[in-house]
Amino acid sequence: MKDIDVIAVLQDPVRRRLYEYVAAQGREVGRNEAAEAAGVARTLAAHHLDRLAEAGLLESGSRRLTGRSGPGAGRPAKVYTRARGERSVSLPARDYRTAAELLAEAAEQAGLDAGLRAAARRRGESLRGAAAPCGGLEQAMEVLAARGYEPHLEEGEAREGEDAGRGGVVRMRNCPFHAVAERFPPLVCGMNLALLEGLIGADGPVRARMDARPGECCVVIEASKNNHD
């Protein structure tokens, strides 16, 4: 199926709501949960979820949602997660990815990492404009969501001397530079970190740092050590 046909599958509003819900969870989602979230009947949700899986937008599998195993545990239920592949449409055809990969290759070979990070930080500051640095994690999440990073708050233990509940970090399920970052991770991840430092403000109550984890953006946002939300 061509990318334009795949994207057209999301034209149905119910199907789009189901896709957006599953994509936002970052885990397997069952039919009952998806149906409740979209406000539709389970049978209708199942139809649309399977259609999304057929189009390659979701991946489907099965597991027991009860958490039990053995006799009496019930039959495995169908579950869905967002597919890993990318889909894009450009009319007329454009190929910015190849250009980005060539530029990244040339920058890496020429040792231009520092210059790229400096340019990325300036771009982040330019995108932020006259706005003050982000005042806390909630505001940072709004900024990141607007840029397509799909942020979510992950609770954690507070550092020594901090109040309980201040140990959370904002992680991001999507890296807008994923395809190029896979080929040139140190270069592109460093660029991404510098861009976000400029975007959220390097001297404000929150800071960006590297903390790569499979399937997510390599950068996380957390409260600065010397600031409080």
Side-chain angles (χ1 to χ4, degrees):
M1 184 179 290
K2 294 182 178 180
D3 282 5
I4 192 169
D5 297 318
V6 171
I7 294 172
V9 169
L10 294 172
Q11 184 176 359
D12 183 283
V14 173
R15 197 173 293 160
R16 188 181 309 169
R17 288 204 305 273
L18 287 164
Y19 172 77
E20 290 173 347
Y21 178 78
V22 173
Q25 303 315 301
R27 56 174 173 78
E28 294 176 330
V29 174
R31 289 172 167 175
N32 288 338
E33 178 186 348
E36 183 176 352
V40 297
R42 183 184 184 280
T43 52
L44 181 60
H47 166 74
H48 285 305
L49 289 166
D50 286 341
R51 184 73 183 90
L52 289 165
E54 291 170 5
L57 290 167
L58 297 180
E59 294 178 358
S60 63
S62 62
R63 67 177 178 87
R64 288 188 173 91
L65 300 178
T66 61
R68 303 194 305 269
S69 60
R75 297 175 57 186
K78 201 162 187 179
V79 292
Y80 303 83
T81 56
R82 179 168 59 181
R84 299 177 183 178
E86 297 179 12
R87 302 288 185 172
S88 63
V89 174
S90 176
L91 299 173
R94 297 289 187 263
D95 189 5
Y96 299 114
R97 176 173 171 176
T98 296
E101 289 178 345
L102 289 171
L103 289 168
E105 182 178 354
E108 189 174 72
Q109 291 179 353
L112 299 178
D113 303 56
L116 178 60
R117 290 195 297 271
R121 189 171 289 106
R122 290 194 298 270
R123 175 57 64 90
E125 292 170 349
S126 175
L127 291 171
R128 178 160 51 91
C134 290
L137 295 181
E138 184 175 346
Q139 185 181 1
M141 290 179 68
E142 293 176 359
V143 172
L144 295 168
R147 303 296 304 177
Y149 282 91
E150 299 182 8
H152 64 101
L153 182 64
E154 182 178 88
E155 299 292 344
E157 295 182 0
R159 291 187 292 263
E160 184 178 354
E162 289 184 339
D163 295 333
R166 284 185 43 77
V169 299
V170 173
R171 293 188 177 273
M172 294 165 270
R173 294 193 175 99
N174 182 51
C175 172
F177 318 109
H178 174 73
V180 186
E182 278 196 319
R183 289 196 57 188
F184 308 95
L187 181 77
V188 178
C189 290
M191 176 200 75
N192 188 28
L193 174 61
L195 176 71
L196 292 177
E197 287 175 338
L199 186 63
I200 68 173
D203 301 321
V206 297
R207 67 162 186 157
R209 66 175 174 86
M210 298 290 289
D211 188 10
R213 193 163 74 175
E216 293 190 335
C217 178
C218 59
V219 180
V220 299
I221 310 297
E222 65 182 3
S224 298
K225 293 181 180 180
N226 298 323
N227 291 282
H228 295 276
D229 292 341

mmCIF file of all heavy atoms in Angstrom, residues 125-144:
data_model
loop_
_atom_site.group_PDB
_atom_site.id
_atom_site.type_symbol
_atom_site.label_atom_id
_atom_site.label_comp_id
_atom_site.label_asym_id
_atom_site.label_seq_id
_atom_site.Cartn_x
_atom_site.Cartn_y
_atom_site.Cartn_z
ATOM 1 N N GLU A 125 16.787 28.757 20.215
ATOM 2 C CA GLU A 125 16.534 30.075 20.797
ATOM 3 C C GLU A 125 15.670 30.925 19.878
ATOM 4 O O GLU A 125 14.797 31.673 20.330
ATOM 5 C CB GLU A 125 17.863 30.771 21.089
ATOM 6 C CG GLU A 125 18.667 30.099 22.200
ATOM 7 C CD GLU A 125 20.076 30.639 22.315
ATOM 8 O OE1 GLU A 125 20.497 31.388 21.398
ATOM 9 O OE2 GLU A 125 20.766 30.304 23.299
ATOM 10 N N SER A 126 15.913 30.798 18.570
ATOM 11 C CA SER A 126 15.112 31.543 17.600
ATOM 12 C C SER A 126 13.663 31.073 17.608
ATOM 13 O O SER A 126 12.733 31.872 17.537
ATOM 14 C CB SER A 126 15.713 31.381 16.201
ATOM 15 O OG SER A 126 14.908 32.001 15.217
ATOM 16 N N LEU A 127 13.449 29.767 17.740
ATOM 17 C CA LEU A 127 12.095 29.226 17.800
ATOM 18 C C LEU A 127 11.378 29.678 19.076
ATOM 19 O O LEU A 127 10.171 29.918 19.064
ATOM 20 C CB LEU A 127 12.142 27.697 17.738
ATOM 21 C CG LEU A 127 12.576 27.087 16.402
ATOM 22 C CD1 LEU A 127 12.801 25.583 16.554
ATOM 23 C CD2 LEU A 127 11.542 27.353 15.321
ATOM 24 N N ARG A 128 12.123 29.788 20.163
ATOM 25 C CA ARG A 128 11.529 30.254 21.416
ATOM 26 C C ARG A 128 11.205 31.741 21.353
ATOM 27 O O ARG A 128 10.251 32.217 21.976
ATOM 28 C CB ARG A 128 12.485 29.961 22.581
ATOM 29 C CG ARG A 128 11.984 30.442 23.929
ATOM 30 C CD ARG A 128 12.690 29.726 25.076
ATOM 31 N NE ARG A 128 14.119 29.751 24.956
ATOM 32 C CZ ARG A 128 14.920 30.700 25.474
ATOM 33 N NH1 ARG A 128 14.391 31.696 26.153
ATOM 34 N NH2 ARG A 128 16.225 30.632 25.345
ATOM 35 N N GLY A 129 11.978 32.479 20.573
ATOM 36 C CA GLY A 129 11.727 33.904 20.399
ATOM 37 C C GLY A 129 11.945 34.679 21.681
ATOM 38 O O GLY A 129 12.892 34.422 22.444
ATOM 39 N N ALA A 130 11.046 35.614 21.951
ATOM 40 C CA ALA A 130 11.184 36.477 23.125
ATOM 41 C C ALA A 130 10.650 35.826 24.391
ATOM 42 O O ALA A 130 10.726 36.420 25.470
ATOM 43 C CB ALA A 130 10.454 37.797 22.880
ATOM 44 N N ALA A 131 10.111 34.629 24.293
ATOM 45 C CA ALA A 131 9.545 33.952 25.468
ATOM 46 C C ALA A 131 10.641 33.606 26.468
ATOM 47 O O ALA A 131 11.780 33.312 26.093
ATOM 48 C CB ALA A 131 8.808 32.689 25.047
ATOM 49 N N ALA A 132 10.289 33.625 27.753
ATOM 50 C CA ALA A 132 11.227 33.248 28.799
ATOM 51 C C ALA A 132 11.458 31.737 28.768
ATOM 52 O O ALA A 132 10.665 30.991 28.164
ATOM 53 C CB ALA A 132 10.668 33.660 30.168
ATOM 54 N N PRO A 133 12.546 31.259 29.378
ATOM 55 C CA PRO A 133 12.748 29.810 29.470
ATOM 56 C C PRO A 133 11.540 29.132 30.109
ATOM 57 O O PRO A 133 10.809 29.738 30.899
ATOM 58 C CB PRO A 133 13.985 29.686 30.360
ATOM 59 C CG PRO A 133 14.727 30.966 30.151
ATOM 60 C CD PRO A 133 13.655 32.011 29.984
ATOM 61 N N CYS A 134 11.308 27.875 29.763
ATOM 62 C CA CYS A 134 10.166 27.138 30.303
ATOM 63 C C CYS A 134 10.195 27.169 31.824
ATOM 64 O O CYS A 134 11.236 26.928 32.449
ATOM 65 C CB CYS A 134 10.185 25.698 29.814
ATOM 66 S SG CYS A 134 9.822 25.519 28.059
ATOM 67 N N GLY A 135 9.054 27.456 32.428
ATOM 68 C CA GLY A 135 8.983 27.618 33.870
ATOM 69 C C GLY A 135 8.820 26.334 34.652
ATOM 70 O O GLY A 135 8.806 26.357 35.873
ATOM 71 N N GLY A 136 8.664 25.220 33.983
ATOM 72 C CA GLY A 136 8.491 23.945 34.671
ATOM 73 C C GLY A 136 8.273 22.835 33.666
ATOM 74 O O GLY A 136 8.223 23.056 32.449
ATOM 75 N N LEU A 137 8.129 21.622 34.170
ATOM 76 C CA LEU A 137 7.986 20.466 33.292
ATOM 77 C C LEU A 137 6.700 20.515 32.478
ATOM 78 O O LEU A 137 6.675 20.100 31.322
ATOM 79 C CB LEU A 137 8.045 19.178 34.115
ATOM 80 C CG LEU A 137 9.379 18.882 34.808
ATOM 81 C CD1 LEU A 137 9.296 17.560 35.569
ATOM 82 C CD2 LEU A 137 10.528 18.842 33.808
ATOM 83 N N GLU A 138 5.626 21.019 33.083
ATOM 84 C CA GLU A 138 4.353 21.079 32.360
ATOM 85 C C GLU A 138 4.455 21.992 31.141
ATOM 86 O O GLU A 138 3.995 21.643 30.047
ATOM 87 C CB GLU A 138 3.245 21.561 33.290
ATOM 88 C CG GLU A 138 1.863 21.566 32.639
ATOM 89 C CD GLU A 138 0.755 21.937 33.602
ATOM 90 O OE1 GLU A 138 0.998 21.943 34.821
ATOM 91 O OE2 GLU A 138 -0.362 22.223 33.121
ATOM 92 N N GLN A 139 5.065 23.147 31.310
ATOM 93 C CA GLN A 139 5.241 24.056 30.191
ATOM 94 C C GLN A 139 6.187 23.469 29.149
ATOM 95 O O GLN A 139 5.973 23.604 27.942
ATOM 96 C CB GLN A 139 5.768 25.407 30.672
ATOM 97 C CG GLN A 139 5.863 26.452 29.557
ATOM 98 C CD GLN A 139 6.405 27.783 30.039
ATOM 99 O OE1 GLN A 139 6.729 27.945 31.221
ATOM 100 N NE2 GLN A 139 6.510 28.732 29.133
ATOM 101 N N ALA A 140 7.230 22.802 29.618
ATOM 102 C CA ALA A 140 8.160 22.156 28.687
ATOM 103 C C ALA A 140 7.447 21.111 27.846
ATOM 104 O O ALA A 140 7.700 20.984 26.639
ATOM 105 C CB ALA A 140 9.317 21.530 29.459
ATOM 106 N N MET A 141 6.518 20.357 28.454
ATOM 107 C CA MET A 141 5.776 19.343 27.718
ATOM 108 C C MET A 141 4.912 19.975 26.633
ATOM 109 O O MET A 141 4.780 19.431 25.528
ATOM 110 C CB MET A 141 4.917 18.516 28.676
ATOM 111 C CG MET A 141 5.728 17.597 29.575
ATOM 112 S SD MET A 141 4.720 16.633 30.729
ATOM 113 C CE MET A 141 3.862 15.542 29.592
ATOM 114 N N GLU A 142 4.327 21.125 26.905
ATOM 115 C CA GLU A 142 3.525 21.821 25.901
ATOM 116 C C GLU A 142 4.387 22.234 24.712
ATOM 117 O O GLU A 142 3.985 22.088 23.548
ATOM 118 C CB GLU A 142 2.863 23.042 26.526
ATOM 119 C CG GLU A 142 1.816 22.713 27.581
ATOM 120 C CD GLU A 142 1.253 23.959 28.249
ATOM 121 O OE1 GLU A 142 1.716 25.075 27.885
ATOM 122 O OE2 GLU A 142 0.367 23.835 29.101
ATOM 123 N N VAL A 143 5.576 22.748 25.007
ATOM 124 C CA VAL A 143 6.495 23.168 23.946
ATOM 125 C C VAL A 143 6.930 21.968 23.115
ATOM 126 O O VAL A 143 6.952 22.008 21.885
ATOM 127 C CB VAL A 143 7.715 23.883 24.559
ATOM 128 C CG1 VAL A 143 8.781 24.149 23.502
ATOM 129 C CG2 VAL A 143 7.291 25.197 25.201
ATOM 130 N N LEU A 144 7.272 20.872 23.774
ATOM 131 C CA LEU A 144 7.727 19.673 23.079
ATOM 132 C C LEU A 144 6.616 19.051 22.244
ATOM 133 O O LEU A 144 6.855 18.579 21.129
ATOM 134 C CB LEU A 144 8.254 18.657 24.096
ATOM 135 C CG LEU A 144 9.504 19.079 24.867
ATOM 136 C CD1 LEU A 144 9.746 18.142 26.041
ATOM 137 C CD2 LEU A 144 10.717 19.114 23.945
#
